[in-house]
Every structure is written in structure tokens, then in C-alpha cells.
Amino acid sequence: MKEKMTTGEIAKQAGVSPKALRIYDEKGLLKPVDISEGNYKLYDKNSLIILEKIIALKHIGFSLEEIKTNLENDDMSAIKELLENQLEMMNQKIYELQKSAGCIKSALARFDENPDWDDIADIIKKMEMSQGADERRWYAADHAADGIEWYEKIFNSMSFKESDTVLDLGCSYGLLWRKNWKRIPSNFSVEGYDIHGNWADDLYEYLNENRASLPKGSDIQVIFSNLEKSETWEKIKAKKYSKIIAHYLLSYLNDEKTFITNVAQVLAKGGMFSVNHYGEAAKEYNFWEKVLDEVGVDKQFALKKRAERRQMDTDFEVLLSEHFERFEKISLPCPLIFESAEALFDRMLKKYSEGKKYLEDNRNKIEEYFDRVVLKDGPVTVDMDSVFYHCFK
């Protein structure tokens, strides 16, 4: 290798364009070491080593500003931390791309229904909501304080018995059945409804592979049909069901009232309809409001959200009262454990997205309180619960 190289020579050696070198010079990443008599920029062997670093870091997603900072700091621990952070960011990008691909697949799977652009937008919106629900489940599993599988708790609350006929609306991945497979009673039938291009496709395959291991006389079927279409309900209304489930479904529907009306019409006398509704999370709100009080910051945004959620509960209960003889509110405990101020603050942001800017402005004060008071004796468990309505005819 020549001791000194021109822009063209080092560019060819490294496999980049001369234009890229001009940009790296302008940004202060790689300056020429000398100028020739003919006014050509010259580079040496060390320049090539630096250039190879730039190419490597750029290839794995670093910005030019980040690369410049990295080149100025050769501390190995800082480089390691930088690479770990970059890996985390790239994994997040990969996940976001996978989610987008999932939305496209969901839309394509529905083309047999001849959708228009409004339909496609609605399909993608609902798929994104479904993905958000998955993320919330993973988050809850990561922070679960009691070590009890969530869908075992739900199964226990349902009082399933032999010969029940169950209508599972929005069955999705079927975790209620998968997580309790060996507990399913005999002579027990489930009809699960969902749309193609969702997790129900996976449940369909799972059932084909595992149906033979169900107890005698029991069966679980997935029926692909849109619960917001009248023809779907015409099919469902051909029979009555002793148990109807609509868990984590209402937020996907455009017409909640019509849905509840339809459910009431197919619930057998003496049967039970189980549905959850995102209303006032009283125990958790109590915790965060106490934090805001003790930190000494304005909690009006939190009180406003609680009032809005409480009103949502009231309106929903009026709707249920119009269609069922009685209902009960069942609270299932789901305490979460947190080990750092950052994790606690992240949870607060999840609950109060409307107040995000205000909370971010007070982040240091709030996290200092978490470290000094809440976490002074180690990890803290935040008492939470999830409310289900059990409705009866």
C-alpha cells in the first residue's frame, strides 16, 4: 500500500465513493493528512483504518453525528455501551417492521371480502391495536409480581363446567384455551369467531394439531367471520350459548351497543356473558395520585383521566342493565413489580399518555422520589387489578 493516497485511491480501497469522503471531511469525521503539490487531498494508512470504522458504524445504523462522537472517544466501555444501545434500537426497528408486515398480511388476507380503502384502513388500525394488546401482555408478564399465569386467573373466574356451550368472540390466539388445555371439561364445546389475518389463524392451526388430545366429547372450532357484519350474527343466532366471552374485544368494535344487543339475544337463560371494559383502574390510579401528591406536582391531568374513566364505566353499566337481568364486577388481581425508577416512570407514562409532556418536564423530580422513597428498600409491587363484567339472564 502506498504511504499516501489521493481521495480516489482511498475511496477505491475502501469501496466508497469520493463524494462520501468529501462529506466525511465536511462533517469532521475524516480529514486529509496532507495536500499534494497539485492541490490533491492525501490520506495515509491510519486514514484507511478510520474510514473502515466509519463504514462499519454507518452500516449498522449509526448517524454521522454518532460516528463522530464515537471516533472522538476510544474508551472501550463507552463503545460497548454504544453498540448495545444501537443493537437495542435496531431490534426495535426490526420489530416495528415486523408489525408493519403483519398489518399488510392482515389486509391481504381480507381481499376475498372485496375491501375498499376505508376497509383496508380499518383492518390495519385493528391489527395495530391487536399488536398493542400483545405488547401489553408481554409487558405484564415481564413485571408480574405473583407468578400466576394471567389466563389461568381468567379461566378460574369463568366457572366452566361439563357440557357448557361457549361462544368466544374475538378468540384471537386462544390463550384462554391454550394455557388451560388440560383443564378443559368433557362434553365441552367452543365456537371461536375472529377474522382472517389475525392471531386466530395460528389458533386454527394449533387446534388442527392438538384437537385429538381434548377430553371426550369436547371440541373447539375457529370460525372466520367479521363480528361487525349482520350475516355473521344471523349464523350465530341459530343457537343459544351457556357462556359467552368477549375479552379484550370492545375497543376494536365500531358499534358497541349493537354488539351487546346481539350478544344478549344468543345468551341462554341462566347463562353468563363475560366482558372486560377499560374503565377506572382504581387501585393503580390511587398509587400514582399519591406519588404526584408527595412529589408536589399538579395532578389535575390524573384526576381528569380518572373522572373520564369512571364515566365510561357508568355508561357501560347502563348499557349492560338494558340487556341483562343483572351483572357483577369481578376484579382479578394483577400486581406488577418494578425494580428501577426508570421502569416506574415508564409505567406512569403508559397510564397517563395525555400528560406525557408535563410528566417529562418533571421526570427528574419524580424519578428522584422513586429512588428515595418508593424503592429505598428494594423492588416495589404496585397493586393493580383488572375488571371483568359477568352478566346474567
Side-chain angles (χ1 to χ4, degrees), residues 2 27 35 46 55 76 91 94 115 140 149 152 193 231 242 277 286 290 301 308 315 328 360 371 382 385 389:
K2 293 168 60 177
K27 298 289 185 181
I35 302 292
N46 190 56
I55 294 167
M76 290 309 295
N91 283 334
I94 290 168
E149 163 58 42
E152 289 182 18
Y193 277 78
E231 52 266 32
S242 60
H277 184 266
N286 290 343
K290 180 182 178 184
F301 69 92
E308 290 172 350
D315 294 342
E328 300 172 354
E360 288 285 7
D371 280 326
V382 179
D385 57 18
Y389 288 91

Side-chain angles (χ1 to χ4, degrees), residues 279-324:
E280 180 189 5
K283 288 184 178 179
E284 186 175 3
Y285 286 161
N286 290 343
F287 177 85
W288 300 122
E289 287 170 18
K290 180 182 178 184
V291 166
L292 294 170
D293 276 338
E294 296 188 0
V295 171
V297 297
D298 190 347
K299 66 176 183 182
Q300 286 305 307
F301 69 92
L303 295 178
K304 180 182 178 183
K305 179 160 187 176
R306 182 190 280 256
E308 290 172 350
R309 293 289 179 153
R310 184 175 293 160
Q311 186 59 51
M312 288 171 64
D313 281 345
T314 298
D315 294 342
F316 187 62
E317 289 169 10
V318 169
L319 176 61
L320 294 178
S321 297
E322 293 172 354
H323 293 88
F324 301 96

Side-chain angles (χ1 to χ4, degrees), residues 34 88 118 247 288 348 357 385:
D34 202 355
E88 182 179 349
D118 287 340
H247 294 165
W288 300 122
M348 182 180 272
K357 185 179 185 307
D385 57 18

Side-chain angles (χ1 to χ4, degrees), residues 1-3 5 10 29-31 33 43-53 74:
M1 182 187 296
K2 293 168 60 177
E3 285 220 4
M5 296 170 281
I10 192 173
L29 277 75
L30 181 62
K31 292 289 185 183
V33 296
Y43 299 86
D44 60 13
K45 293 178 182 178
N46 190 56
S47 301
L48 183 59
I49 292 171
I50 294 171
L51 180 55
E52 287 172 344
K53 285 183 182 179
D74 276 335

Side-chain angles (χ1 to χ4, degrees), residues 227-279:
L227 290 167
E228 294 189 284
K229 301 287 187 181
S230 58
E231 52 266 32
T232 299
W233 284 99
E234 288 173 11
K235 184 190 304 181
I236 294 173
K237 288 175 184 177
K239 61 190 293 188
K240 301 282 187 179
Y241 300 85
S242 60
K243 297 269 175 42
I244 302 178
I245 302 165
H247 294 165
Y248 308 105
L249 175 67
L250 292 184
S251 57
Y252 297 87
L253 302 178
N254 295 313
D255 189 346
E256 186 177 276
K257 292 182 178 180
T258 298
F259 176 79
I260 296 297
T261 301
N262 285 328
V263 167
Q265 291 174 359
V266 297
L267 182 64
K269 187 69 175 175
M272 183 181 80
F273 168 48
S274 177
V275 60
N276 61 332
H277 184 266
Y278 293 107

Side-chain angles (χ1 to χ4, degrees), residues 173-174 177-179 181 201-211 213:
Y173 195 68
W177 314 117
R178 295 188 195 221
K179 294 293 185 180
W181 192 256
D201 292 339
D202 190 275
L203 175 59
Y204 182 86
E205 296 300 326
Y206 177 88
L207 292 172
N208 285 342
E209 295 170 5
N210 294 277
R211 185 172 282 109
S213 63

